[in-house]
Structure formats: structure tokens, C-alpha cells
Amino acid sequence: MTQLLGAGDGVLDWSRDGLVLTAEQKQHYEREGYLLVRNVVPTYELDRFRKRFQDICEKRVQAPPNMTVMKDITIAKSEFLSGEKAITKVQDFSEDPVLFEYCKYPTIIDIVNDVIGKPGSNLLAMHTMLINKPPDNGKLTSRHPMHQDLQYFPFRPADYICCAWTAMEKINRANGCLVVVPGSHKGQLLPHEYPKWEGGVNKAYHGIQDYDPSMPRIHVEMEAGDTVFFHPLLIHGSGANRTEGFRKAISCHYANDDLCRYVNVEGTTQEEISKEIIDMAKKRFRRYGSNPEDIQVDFADIWRLRAREVNGSRSHL
Ligand SMILES: O=C(O)CCC(=O)C(=O)O
């Protein structure tokens, strides 16, 4: 028999109903590593997030300094696209008062608490993204390679980290829905690398080395407002967007601050990505007039800067 997540710590109890989830839903998350919950975020909230994203892209509101605004590898080479069509993702929106409301949305927090905590647990928002997957230009660069999110995180235990990912519109196989390998969260963090795709791959989009495509997987098709909650070891990715529209989803990774602690990733399979992320952060400091050579920052510091309280208080991360 495989071990239950968080076995023996007295925090995660898969046998009882939670604040929102039934015991059966919680057990689905425990067993499969993900749970799809329908109709979590109402349309009027999604419309506010969409408008805010458009305002940021069109520069009608200023992006907070710590936010990263990213272009798709093919868009980055095109001079013809501007505004919302030129941006594939905004990342680290914790200082944006409108987008950050997503992370504080009470039903989402309660569901996350049901799978990585208990009533009263202190949760932090660690990583925030609004993903605007562009129509694929035939080179398949709009795909997101199969990966495990723990690859990017220097904090543990993995069982106390969870991602909430909300569809901002109908998301299906045509526009590149999430693809998950059920049960894969019970395995280890696998070595990742940049996939050797002919059309190139977006910055920091690492995929699992020697990924075996025959593993049984599920296409998670969603309506606007549906939210999938998943474990950071779950193998997942997303397909190409074969429509003309820009497919939008908003997400937040949460950690249970009562139980998670930073770990040193030197000498592990995460060492390479940690160097890449530190380099990216240092380049941002250059924009504010600092010489990257003068900046001492480690991988955990980057996450200390990103982490934000969403309920309760912050003591560890
Ligand atoms: O939104 C997507 O297409 C995939 C996002 C994802 O898997 C990630 O950012 O880790």
C-alpha cells in the first residue's frame, strides 16, 4: 500500500470532510495528486482579473516593480504584436492589488487548507501567474513541457504545497488545457532540462528528462471559474493552443507556513534551475541601477521576497 500524503504528522486527515471539500474529494486529491472543483471563481471576478491584465499589457496601469511580464519565444521575435497579444504571462503579481485578490479568494484558501493544512493553518502565496497562452504559430512553442513544479521550489515538505489553477474561460484540448499524470505525485522529483524542441522553448520552461509519453495521462477540460488544485510533484504540462484566441488561466502556489522550511538545493537536480532563476533575478536588479556582481542573493532569498501572507501570519518562509 502506498503511504498517505503527510502520513503520521497529525495535520492532514483524509478521512474527514474539510471546510469545503468532502472526504471523498480530499481522498481524490491524496490519491491522484489533483482535484478539479467546478465553478469556484465567479465570472465577475474573472472579468476584473482579465481587465487588470489588459490594463497592465496596454500600460494603462503601471506593473508593480517586482512583476515579470513575459513574451512567448515567437512573440518576442515579432515586431507586429503589442498589448495583450504580445504578453504570454505575468508572474509575481503579489503587489498588484487587483490580481492578488485571486490568491486571497476565500473559497480557494479554504480548499487549499483542506488539502495541505487544517483549520487555522497559516498559508502563504508563494508563486503567482496569469498565463495568456498565445495561438500557436505552427512551431508548437505554445506547449508547456511535462514537468513537476517542485523543480522551481527550495522549500519542503512537498505535501504542504499546493497549486490552484483557475480557467478564465473555457479551456479544452483545442486551446491547450492542462495535461496531468494521475498519481505521479507519489514519485520523486525527477531531473529536468530544456526540451530539445525544434521551434525553441520559453525561458525557464523545463521539462522532465527522458519523459515517457506512454504514461497514462488526463486532459483536464474546464469551464471558466473551474479550478484544479494540484500537488507540486504531479507531472503536468499543457498542449499547443490551436485556436485563434489567447487562452487565459490564473494560478497561485500556496505553502503551509507552519510546516514548510527552506532547503539547500546545492548538489541536487535543482542546482541548475536555481542558478538560472538567481541570474534572472539579478538582471532585474540591474534595471534599478544595481550591479548584479554586487548583489548577494540565494535561491531561498528569491522566494522570501515572493512569499505573501494570505491568511493568518508568516513565521518561517
Ligand atoms: O498554463 C499552462 O499552460 C501550464 C502552466 C504550468 O504548468 C506551469 O506554469 O507550471
Side-chain angles (χ1 to χ4, degrees):
M1 202 177 105
T2 56
Q3 271 219 324
L4 295 181
L5 301 183
D9 62 14
V11 174
L12 304 183
D13 181 352
W14 303 105
S15 65
R16 286 171 201 261
D17 288 349
L19 297 163
V20 176
L21 301 181
T22 62
E24 202 181 317
Q25 285 175 306
K26 287 170 60 175
Q27 286 157 18
H28 183 284
Y29 179 91
E30 196 286 326
R31 194 178 58 245
E32 310 292 340
Y34 75 99
L35 178 73
L36 173 59
V37 185
R38 300 283 179 194
N39 213 7
V40 175
V41 184
T43 311
Y44 66 87
E45 295 287 8
L46 298 176
D47 289 346
R48 288 178 62 232
F49 303 147
R50 178 187 309 274
K51 171 150 191 332
R52 187 67 171 188
F53 174 70
Q54 288 163 343
D55 286 345
I56 291 169
C57 295
E58 302 289 347
K59 299 197 169 62
R60 286 190 288 267
V61 298
Q62 210 180 350
N66 61 340
M67 182 188 276
T68 306
V69 178
M70 288 171 72
K71 292 185 171 178
D72 181 86
I73 177 170
T74 47
I75 293 176
K77 291 181 192 153
S78 160
E79 295 153 28
F80 305 112
L81 294 174
S82 64
E84 188 185 4
K85 293 202 161 75
I87 309 296
T88 188
K89 191 196 276 198
V90 294
Q91 193 159 290
D92 300 324
F93 56 64
S94 56
E95 295 299 315
D96 184 89
V98 177
L99 294 180
F100 195 60
E101 280 176 31
Y102 169 74
C103 307
K104 293 194 286 185
Y105 197 70
T107 316
I108 293 200
I109 294 197
D110 285 349
I111 295 176
V112 171
N113 226 346
D114 282 348
V115 293
I116 64 167
K118 58 181 182 185
S121 290
N122 296 292
L123 301 182
L124 297 181
M126 301 300 291
H127 187 224
T128 54
M129 289 185 290
L130 193 156
I131 308 140
N132 188 39
K133 191 193 267 286
D136 200 273
N137 68 354
K139 299 209 162 119
L140 297 177
T141 55
S142 68
R143 285 177 299 173
H144 198 128
M146 298 300 276
H147 65 283
Q148 296 164 299
D149 289 342
L150 196 68
Q151 158 79 346
Y152 300 91
F153 302 151
F155 40 93
R156 301 287 191 279
D159 291 347
Y160 300 109
I161 305 169
C162 172
C163 179
W165 189 99
T166 300
M168 294 178 68
E169 60 199 292
K170 188 180 184 67
I171 298 186
N172 53 22
R173 290 185 74 155
N175 62 2
C177 64
L178 281 188
V179 181
V180 303
V181 178
S184 52
H185 65 304
K186 301 247 175 171
Q188 300 297 310
L189 178 60
L190 299 168
H192 287 59
E193 64 183 3
Y194 275 111
K196 294 167 192 71
W197 288 348
E198 208 181 300
V201 64
N202 285 311
K203 185 83 183 142
Y205 277 31
H206 290 201
I208 290 172
Q209 253 176 32
D210 307 321
Y211 172 70
D212 171 7
S214 70
M215 276 196 265
R217 55 196 192 155
I218 287 184
H219 290 81
V220 186
E221 297 202 316
M222 301 163 74
E223 298 294 328
D226 293 351
T227 303
V228 61
F229 296 84
F230 59 94
H231 188 281
L233 281 169
L234 184 79
I235 298 177
H236 69 286
S238 65
N241 178 2
R242 297 172 199 276
T243 68
E244 295 299 308
F246 284 70
R247 187 228 71 183
K248 287 185 181 52
I250 185 165
S251 75
C252 178
H253 282 89
Y254 297 87
N256 182 332
D257 185 55
D258 302 332
L259 295 152
C260 287
R261 301 290 182 272
Y262 288 109
V263 293
N264 185 354
V265 302
E266 270 169 54
T268 72
T269 55
Q270 288 179 269
E271 187 162 349
E272 279 312 303
I273 185 74
S274 73
K275 287 186 189 149
E276 190 176 343
I277 290 176
I278 291 170
D279 269 3
M280 285 161 78
K282 286 189 172 185
K283 282 196 186 118
R284 296 177 62 80
F285 288 123
R286 187 182 285 141
R287 284 196 226 151
Y288 307 109
S290 309
N291 178 354
E293 302 310 318
D294 298 339
I295 299 165
Q296 290 297 319
V297 62
D298 69 19
F299 197 27
D301 290 335
I302 289 170
W303 290 96
R304 282 189 190 97
L305 287 170
R306 284 177 166 159
R308 289 291 180 284
E309 290 168 17
V310 286
N311 70 338
S313 58
R314 173 175 178 181
S315 313
H316 302 292
L317 291 181

Short mmCIF file of all heavy atoms in Angstrom, two decimals, residues 89 129 131 133 144 147 149 165 176 178 230 236-238 247 249 253, ligand 1:
data_model
loop_
_atom_site.label_atom_id
_atom_site.label_comp_id
_atom_site.label_asym_id
_atom_site.label_seq_id
_atom_site.Cartn_x
_atom_site.Cartn_y
_atom_site.Cartn_z
N LYS A 89 2.64 35.90 -20.36
CA LYS A 89 2.49 35.58 -18.93
C LYS A 89 2.87 36.78 -18.07
O LYS A 89 3.82 37.49 -18.42
CB LYS A 89 3.46 34.43 -18.62
CG LYS A 89 3.27 33.81 -17.27
CD LYS A 89 4.42 32.99 -16.82
CE LYS A 89 4.56 31.60 -17.26
NZ LYS A 89 5.46 30.78 -16.49
N MET A 129 0.80 33.59 -11.08
CA MET A 129 0.95 33.73 -12.55
C MET A 129 -0.42 33.98 -13.19
O MET A 129 -1.42 33.40 -12.76
CB MET A 129 1.48 32.43 -13.17
CG MET A 129 2.92 32.13 -12.88
SD MET A 129 3.49 30.67 -13.79
CE MET A 129 2.62 29.36 -12.98
N ILE A 131 -1.50 33.35 -17.03
CA ILE A 131 -0.90 32.79 -18.24
C ILE A 131 -1.84 33.06 -19.42
O ILE A 131 -3.02 32.73 -19.37
CB ILE A 131 -0.67 31.27 -18.07
CG1 ILE A 131 0.11 31.00 -16.78
CG2 ILE A 131 0.08 30.69 -19.27
CD1 ILE A 131 -0.36 29.81 -16.02
N LYS A 133 -1.86 32.02 -22.88
CA LYS A 133 -1.24 31.14 -23.89
C LYS A 133 -1.62 31.60 -25.29
O LYS A 133 -2.81 31.63 -25.65
CB LYS A 133 -1.70 29.70 -23.66
CG LYS A 133 -0.91 28.66 -24.46
CD LYS A 133 -1.62 27.31 -24.45
CE LYS A 133 -1.20 26.36 -23.37
NZ LYS A 133 0.10 25.74 -23.57
N HIS A 144 3.48 23.60 -23.08
CA HIS A 144 4.29 23.68 -21.86
C HIS A 144 4.77 22.24 -21.58
O HIS A 144 3.94 21.35 -21.41
CB HIS A 144 3.45 24.21 -20.68
CG HIS A 144 4.27 24.71 -19.56
ND1 HIS A 144 4.13 25.95 -18.99
CD2 HIS A 144 5.30 24.13 -18.89
CE1 HIS A 144 5.01 26.12 -18.03
NE2 HIS A 144 5.74 25.02 -17.93
N HIS A 147 6.28 18.57 -16.64
CA HIS A 147 7.23 18.92 -15.57
C HIS A 147 6.57 18.77 -14.21
O HIS A 147 5.36 18.53 -14.11
CB HIS A 147 7.71 20.38 -15.76
CG HIS A 147 6.60 21.38 -15.58
ND1 HIS A 147 5.64 21.61 -16.56
CD2 HIS A 147 6.26 22.19 -14.54
CE1 HIS A 147 4.78 22.52 -16.13
NE2 HIS A 147 5.13 22.89 -14.90
N ASP A 149 6.29 21.02 -10.62
CA ASP A 149 6.56 22.39 -10.16
C ASP A 149 7.58 22.44 -9.03
O ASP A 149 8.24 23.47 -8.83
CB ASP A 149 5.25 23.07 -9.71
CG ASP A 149 4.34 23.38 -10.90
OD1 ASP A 149 4.84 23.40 -12.04
OD2 ASP A 149 3.14 23.61 -10.68
N TRP A 165 -5.18 26.54 -9.88
CA TRP A 165 -5.07 26.99 -11.28
C TRP A 165 -6.50 27.12 -11.81
O TRP A 165 -7.22 26.12 -11.92
CB TRP A 165 -4.27 25.96 -12.04
CG TRP A 165 -3.81 26.25 -13.42
CD1 TRP A 165 -2.57 26.69 -13.80
CD2 TRP A 165 -4.54 26.06 -14.67
NE1 TRP A 165 -2.49 26.78 -15.17
CE2 TRP A 165 -3.68 26.41 -15.72
CE3 TRP A 165 -5.83 25.64 -14.98
CZ2 TRP A 165 -4.06 26.34 -17.07
CZ3 TRP A 165 -6.22 25.57 -16.31
CH2 TRP A 165 -5.33 25.94 -17.33
N GLY A 176 -5.38 24.18 -25.53
CA GLY A 176 -4.19 23.82 -24.72
C GLY A 176 -4.49 23.69 -23.25
O GLY A 176 -3.92 24.42 -22.42
N LEU A 178 -4.63 21.81 -19.43
CA LEU A 178 -3.62 21.11 -18.64
C LEU A 178 -3.72 19.62 -18.91
O LEU A 178 -4.82 19.09 -19.12
CB LEU A 178 -3.85 21.33 -17.14
CG LEU A 178 -3.41 22.63 -16.49
CD1 LEU A 178 -3.56 22.52 -14.97
CD2 LEU A 178 -1.98 23.02 -16.84
N PHE A 230 -3.48 21.15 -7.41
CA PHE A 230 -2.57 20.02 -7.63
C PHE A 230 -1.29 20.10 -6.81
O PHE A 230 -0.84 21.18 -6.40
CB PHE A 230 -2.29 19.76 -9.11
CG PHE A 230 -1.69 20.89 -9.89
CD1 PHE A 230 -0.31 20.98 -10.06
CD2 PHE A 230 -2.48 21.84 -10.50
CE1 PHE A 230 0.26 22.00 -10.80
CE2 PHE A 230 -1.93 22.88 -11.24
CZ PHE A 230 -0.55 22.95 -11.39
N HIS A 236 2.82 17.34 -14.99
CA HIS A 236 1.78 18.01 -15.78
C HIS A 236 2.43 18.92 -16.82
O HIS A 236 3.63 19.21 -16.74
CB HIS A 236 0.84 18.82 -14.87
CG HIS A 236 1.52 20.01 -14.26
ND1 HIS A 236 2.43 19.90 -13.22
CD2 HIS A 236 1.46 21.34 -14.54
CE1 HIS A 236 2.88 21.10 -12.90
NE2 HIS A 236 2.32 22.00 -13.69
N GLY A 237 1.62 19.36 -17.74
CA GLY A 237 2.08 20.31 -18.77
C GLY A 237 0.83 20.80 -19.47
O GLY A 237 -0.29 20.62 -18.97
N SER A 238 1.00 21.41 -20.64
CA SER A 238 -0.21 21.80 -21.40
C SER A 238 0.11 21.74 -22.88
O SER A 238 1.26 21.89 -23.30
CB SER A 238 -0.71 23.18 -20.97
OG SER A 238 0.22 24.18 -21.28
N ARG A 247 -5.49 31.90 -24.65
CA ARG A 247 -6.10 31.10 -23.57
C ARG A 247 -5.59 31.58 -22.21
O ARG A 247 -4.40 31.55 -21.95
CB ARG A 247 -5.70 29.63 -23.79
CG ARG A 247 -6.35 28.65 -22.88
CD ARG A 247 -5.35 27.68 -22.28
NE ARG A 247 -4.50 28.33 -21.30
CZ ARG A 247 -3.50 27.74 -20.66
NH1 ARG A 247 -3.18 26.49 -20.93
NH2 ARG A 247 -2.77 28.38 -19.75
N ALA A 249 -5.44 31.66 -17.97
CA ALA A 249 -5.64 30.98 -16.67
C ALA A 249 -4.87 31.77 -15.63
O ALA A 249 -3.89 32.46 -15.96
CB ALA A 249 -5.10 29.55 -16.74
N HIS A 253 0.57 29.29 -6.23
CA HIS A 253 1.10 28.18 -5.42
C HIS A 253 1.10 28.62 -3.96
O HIS A 253 1.64 29.68 -3.64
CB HIS A 253 2.54 27.85 -5.81
CG HIS A 253 2.63 27.06 -7.07
ND1 HIS A 253 2.71 27.65 -8.30
CD2 HIS A 253 2.63 25.73 -7.29
CE1 HIS A 253 2.77 26.70 -9.23
NE2 HIS A 253 2.72 25.54 -8.65
O1 LIG B 1 -0.92 27.26 -18.06
C1 LIG B 1 -0.27 26.39 -18.61
O2 LIG B 1 -0.35 26.20 -19.80
C2 LIG B 1 0.66 25.48 -17.84
C3 LIG B 1 1.19 26.15 -16.65
C4 LIG B 1 2.10 25.29 -15.87
O3 LIG B 1 2.07 24.11 -15.91
C5 LIG B 1 3.08 25.92 -15.03
O4 LIG B 1 3.31 27.13 -15.16
O5 LIG B 1 3.69 25.20 -14.20
#
